[in-house]
Amino acid sequence: MQFITIANEGVKALSPYQAGKPIEELERELGIRNIVKLASNENPFGFPPSAKRAIENRLDDLTRYPDANGFELKATIAKKFALQANQITLGNGSNELIELFAHTFADSDDEIIYSQYAFIVYPLITKAINAVAREIPAKNWGHDLAGFLAAINDNTKLIYIANPNNPTGNFLTQAEISEFLARVPERVIVVLDEAYTEFTAPEERVDSFALVKQYPNLIVSRSLSKAYGLAGLRIGYAVSHPEIADLLNRVRQPFNCNALAQVAAIAVLNDDGFVQKAAQNNRTEMQRYEDFCRRHQLTYIPSKGNFITLDFKRPAAPIYEALLREGVIVRPIAGYGMPNHLRVSIGLPQENDKFFTALLKVLNQR
């Protein structure tokens, strides 16, 4: 039987999400060791020791279901950011939350707005629920908020904005976002996806939780996969008006956040030193990447995330493949409509050195 014939129309048009190549896969394919992975914007300092201790203390209790409502984790988030627990929704990574927002507020024939060159999950979930995608052409590789406003109509239900944006690293200021929200009808839900916010400088960071108080149609989504180093545990959270959080929690699957993820998240949210170390390394090494690009006449998109996107002005797939043979994994982003670009995560100094050496070798051979 051709089961695709009975799938919903949106799913028929989808292609599976392509994650960054795992180190183990490259080892199997080419027999290479000492591989550097700079493909998935992971924390280069590894798993936080504070989270590891918290997990070890919980191992004997895994025959019990996790707290379905995440009471302690919500309390930790609320205390850290001066929020109320009833504003918080927990997710199996912020990726699940992005999907949850669409399932809660949009249906077939409703319209969802997002930017060209934005996180690929936005169009994936839009198509999966048979909603109408309104992809707004990018402005300097980033969000054209004026274009977003012009696209809003009676059928618009949801707007996704990643800040900093993935995969380009573009950044919108507090003033730009606030001015935008002031012009969006209250019936339209705006999602501010802040998976990389911890890598922005404190003085430029958007006070998004204050904006939630001012604009009740705003949802802020955050991840513990990047700066907090918990990518393998899948944990994230959203902050919104309590009425929105109540709706989200009606749709959210029970036990969506496992017990180990919850205790690890509590530990690392109280571990400011770990996050600050990651952010400082990112600032220092980002400067090295920019200097490297200028020195070797490479074009890049200025980034506020923990990655930088390079424009090779020609198809980047052969460069990506050649880097794999040098034991360096980066991220091709042709699937984002950027076939000439590679996205490179900012690693530790020695990892970045290996990338610089490998890239120069590859370019000099071409």
Side-chain angles (χ1 to χ4, degrees):
M1 180 176 180
Q2 295 293 314
F3 289 104
I4 194 169
T5 63
I6 60 173
N8 87 44
E9 292 303 316
V11 171
K12 290 178 185 178
L14 292 180
S15 297
Y17 176 80
Q18 296 294 319
K21 180 183 283 289
I23 290 174
E24 298 80 6
E25 183 177 317
L26 185 57
E27 288 177 341
R28 291 193 301 268
E29 289 177 350
L30 300 182
I32 296 174
R33 296 293 181 266
N34 300 318
I35 293 168
V36 168
K37 183 185 178 188
L38 301 173
S40 300
N41 306 337
E42 295 151 333
N43 193 310
F45 288 97
F47 198 68
S50 57
K52 184 177 182 179
R53 290 191 295 270
I55 284 176
E56 288 171 344
N57 291 333
R58 186 60 189 271
L59 290 176
D60 291 337
D61 198 28
L62 292 184
T63 56
R64 306 293 183 186
Y65 283 102
D67 179 357
N69 293 311
F71 178 87
E72 293 293 341
L73 177 51
K74 287 183 181 179
T76 300
I77 296 168
K79 181 179 179 181
K80 185 176 182 69
F81 298 111
L83 301 165
Q84 299 299 315
N86 65 354
Q87 294 180 265
I88 298 167
T89 307
L90 302 179
N92 187 249
S94 60
N95 198 109
E96 184 196 32
L97 292 166
I98 290 166
E99 183 174 356
L100 185 64
F101 306 148
H103 281 297
T104 303
F105 293 106
D107 205 340
S108 60
D109 301 324
D110 290 332
E111 296 190 3
I112 296 177
I113 293 173
Y114 52 83
S115 180
Q116 181 188 24
Y117 313 133
F119 188 33
I120 206 164
V121 170
Y122 307 155
L124 284 178
I125 184 57
T126 300
K127 293 173 184 176
I129 65 171
N130 283 318
V132 178
R134 295 293 301 274
E135 182 178 282
I136 307 305
K139 182 178 180 181
N140 297 323
W141 301 107
H143 297 83
D144 179 4
L145 295 184
F148 279 30
L149 290 169
I152 294 173
N153 60 40
D154 291 343
N155 296 322
T156 305
K157 286 291 185 72
L158 199 60
I159 299 174
Y160 285 112
I161 298 174
N163 196 46
N165 186 46
N166 175 27
T168 63
N170 299 77
F171 182 70
L172 296 167
T173 66
Q174 174 103 10
E176 288 173 316
I177 292 174
S178 185
E179 180 182 347
F180 172 76
L181 290 169
R183 299 176 63 188
V184 175
E186 190 170 312
R187 61 177 175 76
V188 177
I189 300 297
V190 178
V191 175
L192 189 60
D193 180 355
E194 292 191 323
Y196 300 94
T197 189
E198 292 84 6
F199 298 105
T200 59
E203 65 272 13
E204 68 185 3
R205 194 168 299 160
V206 175
D207 188 357
S208 53
F209 296 151
L211 291 175
V212 170
K213 295 178 182 178
Q214 188 174 358
Y215 300 102
N217 58 327
L218 175 64
I219 304 173
V220 175
S221 173
R222 289 192 177 176
S223 171
L224 289 144
S225 298
K226 312 301 183 183
Y228 291 95
L230 303 185
L233 286 174
R234 312 307 304 126
I235 189 83
Y237 64 95
V239 175
S240 65
H241 187 281
E243 289 185 24
I244 288 180
D246 175 62
L247 291 169
L248 296 173
N249 280 303
R250 297 181 193 186
V251 181
R252 178 183 61 85
Q253 292 296 303
F255 312 116
N256 65 324
C257 297
N258 70 73
L260 299 184
Q262 290 188 43
V263 297
I266 291 167
V268 78
L269 281 165
N270 288 314
D271 189 357
D272 290 337
F274 181 83
V275 175
Q276 289 168 5
K277 179 173 67 172
Q280 181 57 53
N281 176 78
N282 193 72
R283 285 189 286 270
T284 301
E285 293 301 300
M286 180 69 79
Q287 185 63 57
R288 291 185 66 215
Y289 269 85
E290 293 178 352
D291 292 343
F292 172 84
C293 289
R294 285 191 288 266
R295 191 162 59 249
H296 297 285
Q297 291 80 52
L298 294 170
T299 302
Y300 66 93
I301 302 174
S303 172
K304 297 292 186 180
N306 66 336
F307 55 87
I308 188 167
T309 297
L310 307 184
D311 182 357
F312 293 97
K313 307 297 183 180
R314 62 181 188 271
I319 299 172
Y320 165 72
E321 295 292 340
L323 286 171
L324 291 180
R325 292 190 290 273
E326 297 297 322
V328 177
I329 307 172
V330 296
R331 187 66 175 271
I333 48 177
Y336 284 85
M338 301 173 70
N340 294 344
H341 296 73
L342 294 177
R343 192 191 68 190
V344 186
S345 304
I346 307 299
L348 297 174
Q350 62 272 24
E351 294 174 318
N352 301 326
D353 286 342
K354 182 166 183 175
F355 169 74
F356 296 151
T357 300
L359 181 61
L360 289 179
K361 179 179 177 181
V362 168
L363 294 179
N364 288 333
Q365 289 174 343
R366 304 193 67 79

